[in-house]
Amino acid sequence: NRAAGDSITPIIDTRVIPRLPSWPKELVKMYDTIEIAFIGDIMQHGGQIKNALIPGKDPSDGNSYNYESAFRHTGKYLKGADIAVANMEFTLGTLPYTGYPQFSAPSAIASQAKESGIDLFLLANNHILDKGRNGLEKSLNIYDTLGVPYTGVYRNSDSEAMENPLVMECKGVKIAFVDYLQPVSYTHLR
């Protein structure tokens, strides 16, 4: 029995401890860690849309908007992650561009999100149908042209069956992303 305050000295035979290589921290991080950054909800209220419009440009052109300032402080973190994910809480490309309660944003915000390092867009949210079926289809077309994967919304049940869950591979590891929301009645869109 030990008396209170006595310490235990471990007896280890150093001849049986394997010598492991000492890896630089950069290599350990590179091969042993996957960094995933999540941001959102990215939204567009009326004032944000107005402030992003480039002076003298056509407000009906989705590329007449500059969103660099929206990602100025987050871009380095997004680009530093292995995978950067953003929840896009609006439809894209349907005029008029509006904020609450029916969100519709210019395509330029999705382009800037991509340029800022976003690798995956999450689309399942309560505003994806704010501009009806037309707004949803325009949004998917814009995301498709950007070449950035998205999940949570599908063109039909066949594409949902093939693409859900979305699986991305990073550093030899497969990661499944599932994006969903509670059931919402949009029967008027059928």
Side-chain angles (χ1 to χ4, degrees):
N1 288 347
R2 283 188 303 123
D6 285 352
S7 63
I8 299 175
T9 305
I11 301 172
I12 299 175
D13 186 344
T14 57
R15 293 172 294 169
V16 296
I17 297 177
R19 292 233 177 241
L20 299 175
S22 175
W23 297 97
K25 286 183 180 181
E26 295 79 20
L27 286 179
V28 172
K29 181 178 178 185
M30 186 183 309
Y31 295 106
D32 192 33
T33 303
I34 296 173
E35 290 184 35
I36 303 175
F38 286 87
I39 64 169
D41 297 340
I42 296 178
M43 300 188 81
Q44 282 296 277
H45 289 279
Q48 293 169 304
I49 296 168
K50 182 180 175 183
N51 289 336
L53 180 62
I54 300 167
K57 295 287 187 169
D58 178 6
S60 67
D61 180 354
N63 294 314
S64 293
Y65 296 80
N66 183 333
Y67 285 98
E68 288 179 18
S69 65
F71 296 94
R72 177 182 22 230
H73 300 292
T74 58
K76 67 180 178 181
Y77 301 105
L78 299 173
K79 289 178 181 174
D82 295 305
I83 300 173
V85 183
N87 181 45
M88 307 298 272
E89 189 91 8
F90 46 74
T91 58
L92 287 171
T94 303
L95 295 170
Y97 300 132
T98 54
Y100 183 83
Q102 291 189 326
F103 293 95
S104 179
S107 57
I109 190 166
S111 298
Q112 187 61 51
K114 174 186 176 181
E115 293 301 315
S116 297
I118 297 299
D119 302 301
L120 172 62
F121 292 118
L122 304 179
L123 305 183
N125 62 70
N126 59 314
H127 291 289
I128 193 63
L129 292 173
D130 280 358
K131 297 293 182 171
R133 182 178 297 279
N134 183 46
L136 172 63
E137 289 176 5
K138 279 189 173 185
S139 297
L140 295 180
N141 290 339
I142 291 168
Y143 287 117
D144 285 342
T145 61
L146 289 174
V148 176
Y150 57 85
T151 190
V153 176
Y154 310 93
R155 292 189 183 276
N156 54 50
S157 57
D158 290 338
S159 67
E160 181 179 10
M162 290 177 23
E163 300 165 12
N164 187 27
L166 177 78
V167 178
M168 297 177 79
E169 187 168 332
C170 181
K171 298 181 181 178
V173 176
K174 291 183 179 180
I175 302 165
F177 291 90
V178 180
D179 186 33
Y180 61 92
L181 72 150
Q182 71 184 41
V184 178
S185 177
Y186 288 105
T187 54
H188 64 283
L189 296 175
R190 292 184 184 164

